[in-house]
Short mmCIF file of all heavy atoms in Angstrom, two decimals:
data_model
loop_
_atom_site.label_atom_id
_atom_site.label_comp_id
_atom_site.label_asym_id
_atom_site.label_seq_id
_atom_site.Cartn_x
_atom_site.Cartn_y
_atom_site.Cartn_z
N VAL A 1398 16.72 68.87 59.66
CA VAL A 1398 15.67 69.92 59.55
C VAL A 1398 16.30 71.22 59.22
O VAL A 1398 15.80 72.02 58.32
CB VAL A 1398 14.86 69.99 60.94
CG1 VAL A 1398 13.95 71.13 60.93
CG2 VAL A 1398 14.13 68.68 61.18
N ALA A 1399 17.44 71.57 59.89
CA ALA A 1399 18.09 72.81 59.62
C ALA A 1399 18.61 72.92 58.17
O ALA A 1399 18.48 73.95 57.52
CB ALA A 1399 19.23 72.99 60.56
N GLU A 1400 19.13 71.86 57.66
CA GLU A 1400 19.61 71.83 56.31
C GLU A 1400 18.44 71.99 55.33
O GLU A 1400 18.56 72.65 54.29
CB GLU A 1400 20.35 70.53 55.98
CG GLU A 1400 21.07 70.48 54.65
CD GLU A 1400 22.23 71.48 54.61
OE1 GLU A 1400 22.75 71.92 55.69
OE2 GLU A 1400 22.58 71.95 53.45
N PHE A 1401 17.38 71.31 55.58
CA PHE A 1401 16.13 71.48 54.77
C PHE A 1401 15.67 72.84 54.78
O PHE A 1401 15.22 73.38 53.64
CB PHE A 1401 15.11 70.48 55.24
CG PHE A 1401 13.81 70.47 54.45
CD1 PHE A 1401 13.74 70.02 53.11
CD2 PHE A 1401 12.65 71.01 55.00
CE1 PHE A 1401 12.65 70.07 52.36
CE2 PHE A 1401 11.46 71.03 54.24
CZ PHE A 1401 11.44 70.55 52.97
N VAL A 1402 15.59 73.50 55.87
CA VAL A 1402 15.22 74.89 56.03
C VAL A 1402 16.08 75.75 55.25
O VAL A 1402 15.67 76.74 54.55
CB VAL A 1402 15.02 75.34 57.50
CG1 VAL A 1402 14.84 76.79 57.54
CG2 VAL A 1402 13.91 74.52 58.20
N ARG A 1403 17.39 75.51 55.31
CA ARG A 1403 18.34 76.40 54.53
C ARG A 1403 18.11 76.18 53.04
O ARG A 1403 18.22 77.24 52.33
CB ARG A 1403 19.81 75.95 54.85
CG ARG A 1403 20.25 76.31 56.32
CD ARG A 1403 21.61 76.02 56.52
NE ARG A 1403 22.01 76.19 57.87
CZ ARG A 1403 22.21 75.24 58.81
NH1 ARG A 1403 21.99 73.96 58.45
NH2 ARG A 1403 22.54 75.50 60.08
N TRP A 1404 17.85 75.08 52.53
CA TRP A 1404 17.53 74.89 51.13
C TRP A 1404 16.22 75.66 50.76
O TRP A 1404 16.22 76.28 49.69
CB TRP A 1404 17.36 73.38 50.85
CG TRP A 1404 18.61 72.71 50.49
CD1 TRP A 1404 19.40 71.93 51.31
CD2 TRP A 1404 19.30 72.67 49.23
NE1 TRP A 1404 20.53 71.49 50.70
CE2 TRP A 1404 20.47 71.94 49.39
CE3 TRP A 1404 19.07 73.31 47.99
CZ2 TRP A 1404 21.34 71.75 48.31
CZ3 TRP A 1404 19.93 73.09 46.95
CH2 TRP A 1404 21.13 72.36 47.11
N LEU A 1405 15.26 75.57 51.62
CA LEU A 1405 14.02 76.31 51.31
C LEU A 1405 14.28 77.90 51.23
O LEU A 1405 13.73 78.55 50.40
CB LEU A 1405 12.96 76.02 52.35
CG LEU A 1405 12.40 74.67 52.37
CD1 LEU A 1405 11.39 74.48 53.55
CD2 LEU A 1405 11.70 74.29 51.09
N ILE A 1406 15.09 78.37 52.19
CA ILE A 1406 15.34 79.76 52.18
C ILE A 1406 16.25 80.14 50.94
O ILE A 1406 16.04 81.21 50.29
CB ILE A 1406 16.07 80.15 53.48
CG1 ILE A 1406 15.16 79.89 54.67
CG2 ILE A 1406 16.56 81.62 53.44
CD1 ILE A 1406 15.82 80.17 56.05
N GLY A 1407 17.21 79.28 50.62
CA GLY A 1407 18.05 79.48 49.44
C GLY A 1407 17.21 79.62 48.10
O GLY A 1407 17.44 80.44 47.34
N ILE A 1408 16.30 78.66 48.02
CA ILE A 1408 15.44 78.79 46.85
C ILE A 1408 14.57 79.97 46.83
O ILE A 1408 14.35 80.56 45.75
CB ILE A 1408 14.50 77.45 46.82
CG1 ILE A 1408 15.42 76.17 46.63
CG2 ILE A 1408 13.49 77.50 45.66
CD1 ILE A 1408 14.65 74.91 46.75
N ALA A 1409 14.12 80.39 48.02
CA ALA A 1409 13.34 81.60 48.15
C ALA A 1409 14.12 82.85 47.70
O ALA A 1409 13.70 83.78 47.07
CB ALA A 1409 12.80 81.79 49.61
N VAL A 1410 15.44 82.85 48.07
CA VAL A 1410 16.29 83.94 47.63
C VAL A 1410 16.42 83.91 46.11
O VAL A 1410 16.33 85.06 45.46
CB VAL A 1410 17.67 83.82 48.29
CG1 VAL A 1410 18.67 84.85 47.76
CG2 VAL A 1410 17.59 83.99 49.77
N ILE A 1411 16.61 82.81 45.49
CA ILE A 1411 16.71 82.74 44.01
C ILE A 1411 15.42 83.18 43.39
O ILE A 1411 15.40 83.99 42.40
CB ILE A 1411 17.02 81.36 43.58
CG1 ILE A 1411 18.39 80.94 44.10
CG2 ILE A 1411 17.00 81.24 42.11
CD1 ILE A 1411 18.76 79.54 43.83
N GLN A 1412 14.27 82.82 43.98
CA GLN A 1412 12.96 83.29 43.49
C GLN A 1412 12.78 84.82 43.62
O GLN A 1412 12.28 85.42 42.73
CB GLN A 1412 11.85 82.54 44.21
CG GLN A 1412 11.66 81.11 43.88
CD GLN A 1412 10.91 80.89 42.61
OE1 GLN A 1412 10.49 81.78 41.97
NE2 GLN A 1412 10.80 79.61 42.22
N ALA A 1413 13.23 85.33 44.73
CA ALA A 1413 13.10 86.76 44.98
C ALA A 1413 13.96 87.56 43.97
O ALA A 1413 13.48 88.59 43.39
CB ALA A 1413 13.52 87.04 46.38
N VAL A 1414 15.17 87.15 43.76
CA VAL A 1414 16.06 87.84 42.83
C VAL A 1414 15.50 87.75 41.44
O VAL A 1414 15.42 88.68 40.66
CB VAL A 1414 17.48 87.23 42.92
CG1 VAL A 1414 18.36 87.82 41.78
CG2 VAL A 1414 18.13 87.48 44.26
N PHE A 1415 15.00 86.52 41.03
CA PHE A 1415 14.54 86.33 39.67
C PHE A 1415 13.24 87.22 39.46
O PHE A 1415 13.08 87.86 38.44
CB PHE A 1415 14.24 84.85 39.52
CG PHE A 1415 13.78 84.53 38.08
CD1 PHE A 1415 14.59 84.73 37.02
CD2 PHE A 1415 12.50 83.93 37.92
CE1 PHE A 1415 14.13 84.40 35.70
CE2 PHE A 1415 12.04 83.62 36.67
CZ PHE A 1415 12.86 83.90 35.55
N ALA A 1416 12.40 87.15 40.55
CA ALA A 1416 11.11 87.94 40.35
C ALA A 1416 11.40 89.45 40.30
O ALA A 1416 10.77 90.11 39.54
CB ALA A 1416 10.17 87.53 41.49
N SER A 1417 12.32 89.89 41.09
CA SER A 1417 12.61 91.23 41.17
C SER A 1417 13.22 91.76 39.79
O SER A 1417 12.93 92.84 39.32
CB SER A 1417 13.61 91.59 42.32
OG SER A 1417 13.03 91.27 43.53
N LEU A 1418 14.19 90.93 39.24
CA LEU A 1418 14.80 91.32 37.96
C LEU A 1418 13.75 91.38 36.87
O LEU A 1418 13.76 92.28 36.02
CB LEU A 1418 15.89 90.32 37.63
CG LEU A 1418 17.13 90.35 38.50
CD1 LEU A 1418 18.08 89.24 38.15
CD2 LEU A 1418 17.84 91.75 38.40
N LEU A 1419 12.81 90.39 36.89
CA LEU A 1419 11.75 90.39 35.83
C LEU A 1419 10.83 91.60 35.99
O LEU A 1419 10.45 92.22 35.00
CB LEU A 1419 10.95 89.15 35.88
CG LEU A 1419 11.63 87.86 35.42
CD1 LEU A 1419 10.71 86.67 35.54
CD2 LEU A 1419 12.18 87.95 34.01
N ALA A 1420 10.50 91.91 37.21
CA ALA A 1420 9.59 93.08 37.44
C ALA A 1420 10.27 94.32 37.09
O ALA A 1420 9.64 95.29 36.51
CB ALA A 1420 9.14 93.07 38.95
N LEU A 1421 11.60 94.51 37.42
CA LEU A 1421 12.20 95.78 37.10
C LEU A 1421 12.52 95.92 35.56
O LEU A 1421 12.56 97.03 35.04
CB LEU A 1421 13.59 95.87 37.88
CG LEU A 1421 13.40 96.00 39.41
CD1 LEU A 1421 14.74 95.94 40.10
CD2 LEU A 1421 12.69 97.24 39.78
N SER A 1422 12.82 94.82 34.93
CA SER A 1422 13.16 94.85 33.51
C SER A 1422 11.92 94.86 32.64
O SER A 1422 12.00 95.09 31.42
CB SER A 1422 14.06 93.66 33.11
OG SER A 1422 13.35 92.49 33.34
#
């Protein structure tokens, strides 16, 4: 469960960075 949650959070970080870069650019 903990490893699965870490993966979900890691994907969310990638999504956040990608979305922020697209919005700023």
